[in-house]
Amino acid sequence: MELMNELYAEEDKLSRDALDQILPALTLLLGPFAPYIAEELWEALGRTGPVFRQKWPEADEALAKEDLAEVVLQVNGKVRGRISVAFGTSKEELERMAMEDPKLKPFLEGKQVVKMIVVPDKLVNIVVR
């Protein structure tokens, strides 16, 4: 459904060549869930042979890889914000970014930072008293 929503949103930007690649793959993905309609769509696309005997589309891991990690910012275990950072950002840099985040400032003002728990690429938890 998410793929279909994205295709509807970008419909006017899709070229004929792109559609010629997308539609058969989408039909193959639909096959296990709606085999009869997938077979009809397969034939409407001018393809031969049963849709369930076709090779499943392969995912490209390089295209699926995210460029940025979403790091959750917590104060005393409660989520107070999120930041996007490059994968592999150092603990020190994550701590600095968390302390400077404007969403966390109200929760840190006038309080003493007891401990900072950092899980790279995932979480920064600031324990205050």
Side-chain angles (χ1 to χ4, degrees):
M1 287 307 297
E2 288 184 33
L3 175 59
M4 285 304 300
N5 291 339
E6 191 66 30
L7 290 173
Y8 282 132
E10 303 292 328
E11 185 175 10
D12 57 335
K13 298 175 190 167
L14 293 174
S15 68
R16 185 72 234 165
D17 290 338
L19 285 174
D20 288 342
Q21 291 179 2
I22 293 168
L23 294 177
L26 191 60
T27 302
L28 290 172
L29 294 173
L30 184 63
F33 305 103
Y36 295 108
I37 191 70
E39 193 65 42
E40 292 292 326
L41 290 170
W42 192 251
E43 288 179 16
L45 290 171
R47 305 299 174 111
T48 58
V51 72
F52 66 88
R53 295 223 187 256
Q54 306 305 314
K55 188 173 185 275
W56 190 259
E58 291 186 23
D60 186 349
E61 296 295 328
L63 292 175
K65 186 176 180 184
E66 295 288 331
D67 296 333
L68 299 174
E70 183 179 49
V71 176
V72 176
L73 303 177
Q74 297 179 337
V75 177
N76 289 340
K78 293 184 181 177
V79 176
R80 302 296 185 186
R82 298 175 194 279
I83 55 173
S84 294
V85 298
F87 281 100
T89 302
S90 70
K91 287 184 176 185
E92 294 78 21
E93 182 67 13
L94 287 173
E95 288 175 1
R96 185 191 61 74
M97 292 171 81
M99 293 300 286
E100 293 174 359
D101 190 87
K103 293 177 189 168
L104 267 60
K105 292 252 187 220
F107 300 102
L108 300 175
E109 288 177 357
K111 298 194 177 154
Q112 176 190 3
V113 175
V114 177
K115 185 179 184 181
M116 290 189 82
I117 301 165
V118 179
V119 179
D121 300 333
K122 299 213 184 288
L123 166 86
V124 177
N125 185 17
I126 303 170
V127 181
V128 296
R129 195 180 304 161

